[in-house]
Amino acid sequence: MPRQRGNGCGNITSIKGKKKKPYRVRITVGYEYDEQKEKQVQRVKNLGYFQTRQEAEKALVSYHANPYDLSEKSCLPI
């Protein structure tokens, strides 16, 4: 069973339709209040897509070791 990460550490998901690079790495960047839903909405940014889970893990660890600025254009609500 895979090890769970702490809150705010990011996640790795596999994408069914993408065969060349099926693993996506995302980072939580914050929360916003959605007035229509009347609750908090999580905001995430993509770090990238990778061929193997190990490559995705390395990218996530490297990001946390030396965080860099991600543009606002990649900010997606879940």
Side-chain angles (χ1 to χ4, degrees):
M1 185 169 177
R3 173 183 80 86
Q4 283 189 320
R5 290 177 211 20
N7 290 342
C9 289
N11 65 5
I12 299 172
T13 57
S14 68
I15 302 169
K16 290 183 180 181
K18 256 184 146 31
K19 299 295 183 191
K20 192 169 186 176
K21 294 184 178 182
Y23 295 97
R24 174 176 59 189
V25 178
R26 298 191 303 177
I27 300 289
T28 301
V29 293
Y31 295 88
E32 290 183 358
Y33 184 75
D34 187 353
E35 293 180 9
Q36 291 178 344
K37 295 180 183 178
E38 296 182 354
K39 64 179 182 178
Q40 295 284 345
V41 177
Q42 184 181 19
R43 295 289 175 183
V44 297
K45 291 186 180 181
N46 287 330
L47 282 182
Y49 296 88
F50 302 92
Q51 288 182 348
T52 64
R53 188 169 184 88
Q54 289 78 21
E55 289 176 3
E57 290 276 351
K58 286 180 185 177
L60 192 56
V61 168
S62 125
Y63 174 78
H64 283 295
N66 187 16
Y68 49 88
D69 186 28
L70 299 168
S71 68
E72 284 294 318
K73 293 179 182 177
S74 64
C75 189
L76 304 172
I78 291 183

